[in-house]
Amino acid sequence: MRVLIIEDEKKIAEFIKRGLKEEGYTVDIANNAEKGHFSATTQEYDLIILDLMLPDGDGITLCRKLRDEKFTKPILMLTAKGTVKDKVTGLDAGANDYLTKPFAFEEFLARVRALMRKSDSEQTTKLLVADLVLDLLSHKVTRAGKEIDLTSKEYALLEYFMRNAGQVVTRTMISEHVWDINFDTFTNVIDVYINYLRNKIDEGFNVKLIHTLRGRGYILKE
Ligand code: CA
């Protein structure tokens, strides 16, 4: 899951980025409204964290603009202000949720997870494919009941595969959702990570779940 943080306060942006990365999210930062708008409209994001006060504009206007341009993914608005009026204005501008700074990172993460669930129109906290189970809350992954230890990148890749189970996933799709804006298209890093994942998910099991479709990409299915 790829997240864009639009926030000019470097410390806060880096703090959120670090925390989200530890949870397996892929994160980019834009430090003003113009860069934020550019990234949001030229890259694929599953969620936007939007600060209300930006040096070249405000989050409300940017949020409205993105919604007018048919940006449908969830937007979580951050602000130092916390009055009822500000919250109402933010939500009316098209934000899905609102969090007042300073906030506890635990609460922030819970809100992010809730927004992701809503956008999937699923209320489940577990993803299942055959005997493979991924718990979105604890990040525990098991196959046939056996726990599998994954790095945060491997986890992010598997989560993306499981959210798109039964569908062809191309390298471009993977690079757009699991890698950040600095992804180098000329490396074979995706293939390398898919091999790591295969070794952990499929090695030793009769039924393989990750399949390569030559020239097209990959598919996760039974
Ligand atoms: Ca700010």
Side-chain angles (χ1 to χ4, degrees):
M1 297 283 106
R2 191 170 172 195
V3 179
L4 175 64
I5 304 170
I6 307 176
E7 161 70 276
D8 59 309
E9 280 163 84
K10 207 170 171 223
K11 257 180 147 173
I12 295 177
E14 288 296 336
F15 165 73
I16 298 174
K17 180 177 181 174
R18 202 175 333 121
L20 284 174
K21 277 182 85 172
E22 280 170 13
E23 294 292 312
Y25 293 95
T26 301
V27 184
D28 292 322
I29 296 173
N31 61 8
N32 64 37
E34 193 195 341
K35 286 184 198 163
H37 180 259
F38 180 76
S39 291
T41 50
T42 54
Q43 305 279 318
E44 288 280 335
Y45 291 102
D46 303 293
L47 171 72
I48 290 184
I49 313 292
L50 178 58
D51 185 38
L52 190 64
M53 307 282 267
L54 295 163
D56 57 340
D58 67 279
I60 302 277
T61 308
L62 179 54
C63 187
R64 232 177 246 136
K65 191 172 173 190
L66 287 169
R67 291 306 188 210
D68 285 347
E69 293 166 353
K70 309 290 174 230
F71 181 87
T72 56
K73 296 296 167 64
I75 296 176
L76 171 61
M77 208 168 265
L78 295 183
T79 180
K81 298 181 189 174
T83 66
V84 172
K85 188 172 170 284
D86 288 325
K87 290 181 190 177
V88 170
T89 313
L91 295 170
D92 281 348
N96 301 76
D97 200 1
Y98 201 98
L99 198 56
T100 307
K101 291 189 272 190
F103 50 83
F105 198 71
E106 294 280 350
E107 184 185 356
F108 171 79
L109 274 183
R111 285 175 187 266
V112 167
R113 284 194 298 263
L115 287 173
M116 294 292 197
R117 284 202 295 275
K118 271 185 211 153
S119 79
D120 287 353
S121 57
E122 53 164 75
Q123 291 304 312
T124 178
T125 57
K126 282 186 176 142
L127 303 175
L128 299 121
V129 176
D131 55 358
L132 181 64
V133 182
L134 182 145
D135 188 317
L136 293 164
L137 296 181
S138 66
H139 285 203
K140 213 168 104 176
V141 175
T142 59
R143 177 140 191 211
K146 188 174 150 262
E147 194 165 342
I148 297 166
D149 194 25
L150 299 178
T151 64
S152 60
K153 204 59 167 179
E154 290 163 356
Y155 175 89
L157 184 57
L158 182 64
E159 183 186 344
Y160 186 68
F161 267 125
M162 291 185 81
R163 285 186 189 273
N164 294 284
Q167 298 171 38
V168 178
V169 168
T170 65
R171 276 185 189 74
T172 306
M173 287 162 75
I174 295 171
S175 72
E176 284 176 345
H177 287 271
V178 185
W179 266 267
D180 65 22
I181 203 158
N182 302 312
F183 178 75
D184 179 356
T185 18
F186 297 105
T187 67
N188 65 342
V189 65
I190 290 177
D191 307 73
V192 170
Y193 271 92
I194 283 172
N195 274 334
Y196 290 156
L197 204 52
R198 264 202 177 114
N199 287 337
K200 293 185 178 181
I201 301 298
D202 281 341
E203 188 71 31
F205 291 95
N206 285 332
V207 177
K208 307 297 180 200
L209 299 177
I210 301 172
H211 307 269
T212 304
L213 303 167
R214 201 173 287 256
R216 293 172 66 202
Y218 303 92
I219 189 165
L220 180 78
K221 61 169 190 178
E222 221 170 319

